Amino acid sequence: MPELPEVETVRRGLNQLTLNQEITGGDVLLERTIAYPFSVDEFLTPIKGSAISTWHRRGKYLLAELTSSPSSPSLPHSLTPSSPLNGGLGVHLRMTGQLLWLHQDEPLHKHTRVRLFFRDERELRFVDQRTFGQMWWVPPGVPPESIITGLGKLAVDPFSPEFTVEYLALKLQNRRRPIKTALLDQSVVAGLGNIYADEALFLSGVLPETLCIDLQPEQIERLRASIIQVLEASIEAGGTTFSNFLNVKGINGNYGGVAWVYNRAGEPCRVCGTAIARTRLAGRSSHYCVHCQR
Ligand SMILES: [Zn+2]
């Protein structure tokens, strides 16, 4: 499943490739990929003739701002007080979704769900084997969280200034559940999944089973710093090689090759040489070093 660094990698790629050119049309091959509006026509009509001015990320949601296309007939730019917004486009990749930037001639993948065509004969193609991925069109002037309801439930983003030691301590205090379970719960910090929870716990020297209530202030401080560090390292590496993740150019990331513990059960710890252990917590595999983590 794509985690925050993969989604951020996709966002950066989209910002390099897809901005400021007219979307000439689209094709929805699987209707239920479109979560809003409720008909495919209502989804495609406002997007056609728009251009994307920028892509944002909130948790693992991608949000594109739509403007009227610079190449579509409208008032000369100097006469428009500000670029009129045509609403927004939301995307969640879920388990297996991929956004690929391709030439329109490229043969269709078996799991192609939505195609958005651009003026230069490229397209943004949404490919999704498991079909849990979703797209939304958000009407202009409407807050995205009123259409994309999951946005309203997101905790703070690990890269936002609100993700402080005090915030994390408050979220974890008095909780009688393992820290790994709490990290996977998207109500504590947005976008952190199994890979980076294991990695951040290793870097902070905390065992995944440690109950939140037992964490010392210095452990919480290290954990916060480690979460940011491991996510930054992965974004730097272009995302991970796990989960068949591909960036918008169809290239795999490199983080997997340098993981500290994730998916390394039985292999020597990169710090002390002890064999990495694996256990099941909250239905997921947890990987850790019994020597480096306490
Ligand atoms: Zn170790």
Side-chain angles (χ1 to χ4, degrees), residues 179-180 183 195-208 222-223 226-227 229-230 255 258-262 264 268-277 287-294:
I179 179 62
K180 170 74 185 285
L183 290 180
I195 299 170
Y196 302 107
D198 278 2
E199 294 289 282
L201 285 167
F202 175 82
L203 282 179
S204 59
V206 173
L207 281 172
R222 282 205 307 270
L223 183 57
S226 302
I227 288 170
Q229 186 187 335
V230 74
Y255 183 77
V258 298
W260 293 99
V261 289
Y262 184 79
R264 297 192 65 241
C269 170
R270 297 192 199 275
V271 173
C272 73
T274 305
I276 298 299
H287 310 80
Y288 57 96
C289 171
V290 288
H291 183 260
C292 296
Q293 292 168 261
R294 317 187 163 246

Side-chain angles (χ1 to χ4, degrees), residues 213-250:
I213 195 169
D214 294 334
L215 285 171
Q216 301 302 307
E218 62 272 16
Q219 288 180 304
I220 293 178
E221 205 172 323
R222 282 205 307 270
L223 183 57
R224 178 192 161 271
S226 302
I227 288 170
I228 295 169
Q229 186 187 335
V230 74
L231 292 174
E232 276 175 350
S234 181
I235 292 166
E236 201 84 346
T240 167
T241 54
F242 304 118
S243 319
N244 303 318
F245 166 70
L246 296 176
N247 69 15
V248 284
K249 293 176 186 165

Side-chain angles (χ1 to χ4, degrees), residues 177-193:
R177 60 206 294 232
I179 179 62
K180 170 74 185 285
T181 312
L183 290 180
L184 291 180
D185 177 345
Q186 301 298 302
S187 70
V188 175
V189 56
L192 202 65

